[in-house]
Amino acid sequence: MKSKKIVILTGAGISAESGIETFRAAGGLWENHRVEDVATPEGFAKDPELVHRFYNLRRAALKTVKPNAAHVALAKLEDGLKQNGGQLTLVTQNVDDLHERGGTKEVIHMHGILTSMLCGTCEHRWEYLEDASPHLSCPKCYVKNTSRPDIVWFGEMPYAMHVIEERLSDCDLFVSIGTSGAVYPAAGFVQMASSIGKATLELNLERSQGSHFFDESRLGAAGTLVPQWVDEVLKV
Ligand code: APR
């Protein structure tokens, strides 16, 4: 096995074949809302009802979708690498839970997750699967009116950056799957990895914005490309 320690970054493209629309596709998730209104702390402060409604719809939609072949293949990769003394670090920008439902055990949700709520007062996080409203109280500090979706909004610091940077500096290979490379800091991981001599691979439907930074780009649907690539890695 050539690569034993692999860091993977996934984006909306890996969930597209499960039926979750990507962000930047025409008719994507932001279609009826300005990003500023539903995905910034300022938007939440201005209209918490609207923001909760927006994420309630997305949380409810999770019940109608299933992981696809790409999610399942990455779970197989996690097991396969572990059995060979290696390690998969799966970092996702996605706020859906399809990697977990596809079987991956350790997932870093750098942009948060729809199935969790965050207390704006004591920063407690808890699993939350139903519809939320601004009146929801925190189960730890009991303060009302400050609970918010556990989503990293524009202008906020993504989660677990120090862990991600550590894993990037310790890996053999960095792979980006289904992301347009438009949003930093995730879009900069390829430069971070290649500047310290790591091999880099992109699997995407089309060339991403940072495509030229990758050693190799394979273009096509994640549901096809990812299982093929995982078989290659586990066979060698
Ligand atoms: N297989 C592989 N790639 C695909 C597929 C597919 N079936 N369908 C679409 N793609 C590719 C698109 O070509 C595009 O390059 O996935 C990418 C999706 O890009 P975006 O919609 O920009 O999503 P993403 O990169 O995850 O967005 C990053 O931006 O809005 C913020 O916080 C939000 O996490 C999100 C971040």
Side-chain angles (χ1 to χ4, degrees):
M1 191 177 283
K2 214 168 106 200
S3 303
K4 282 195 169 183
K5 287 187 176 174
I6 302 179
V7 176
I8 295 181
L9 170 71
T10 65
I14 199 166
S15 296
E17 287 156 83
S18 293
I20 300 182
E21 284 193 52
T22 59
F23 292 93
R24 286 166 185 82
L29 281 166
W30 312 110
E31 192 189 12
N32 298 317
H33 295 284
R34 296 187 321 144
V35 169
E36 296 83 345
D37 292 339
V38 292
T40 62
E42 294 77 18
F44 184 62
K46 197 168 132 205
D47 193 346
E49 192 89 50
L50 169 79
V51 175
H52 274 299
R53 228 172 27 239
F54 177 77
Y55 289 100
N56 285 347
L57 285 174
R58 298 179 64 192
R59 191 177 306 110
L62 289 182
K63 293 178 183 153
T64 68
V65 296
K66 288 195 296 226
N68 65 53
H71 298 105
V72 173
L74 294 186
K76 181 172 151 189
L77 180 64
E78 183 184 48
D79 272 353
L81 289 176
K82 200 171 170 197
Q83 279 168 26
N84 285 283
Q87 183 182 43
L88 173 68
T89 301
L90 179 53
V91 181
T92 188
Q93 297 167 91
N94 298 342
V95 295
D96 65 55
D97 58 355
L98 293 180
H99 282 305
E100 286 85 349
R101 281 158 57 195
T104 302
K105 291 177 195 80
E106 198 204 331
V107 185
I108 298 176
H109 279 272
M110 64 178 292
H111 290 170
I113 187 162
L114 284 166
T115 54
S116 172
M117 207 54 71
L118 167 67
C119 175
T121 304
C122 73
E123 297 188 357
H124 176 62
R125 302 197 154 78
W126 69 100
E127 188 180 76
Y128 198 84
L129 307 175
E130 304 308 321
D131 283 352
S133 83
H135 314 296
L136 190 69
S137 57
C138 168
K140 193 169 175 211
C141 72
Y142 305 111
V143 170
K144 274 190 177 182
N145 301 322
T146 67
S147 298
R148 52 170 276 185
D150 191 7
I151 303 289
V152 176
W153 288 322
F154 286 93
E156 297 182 321
M157 180 61 87
Y159 293 141
M161 284 304 294
H162 59 289
V163 179
I164 299 169
E165 281 166 21
E166 253 173 49
R167 300 286 178 93
L168 277 172
S169 59
D170 189 38
C171 74
D172 310 314
L173 172 67
F174 169 70
V175 186
S176 169
I177 303 173
T179 175
S180 60
V183 173
Y184 282 81
F189 291 168
V190 59
Q191 285 150 279
M192 220 183 269
S194 64
S195 70
I196 48 174
K198 310 297 181 183
T200 56
L201 166 70
E202 158 174 79
L203 307 174
N204 209 44
L205 199 56
E206 60 198 357
R207 286 193 176 276
S208 67
Q209 290 186 22
S211 190
H212 53 286
F213 290 117
F214 288 88
D215 297 330
E216 187 188 349
S217 289
R218 297 187 190 178
L219 304 185
T224 308
L225 286 186
V226 177
Q228 277 170 2
W229 169 72
V230 166
D231 284 346
E232 274 173 40
V233 174
L234 294 179
K235 253 181 225 145
V236 185

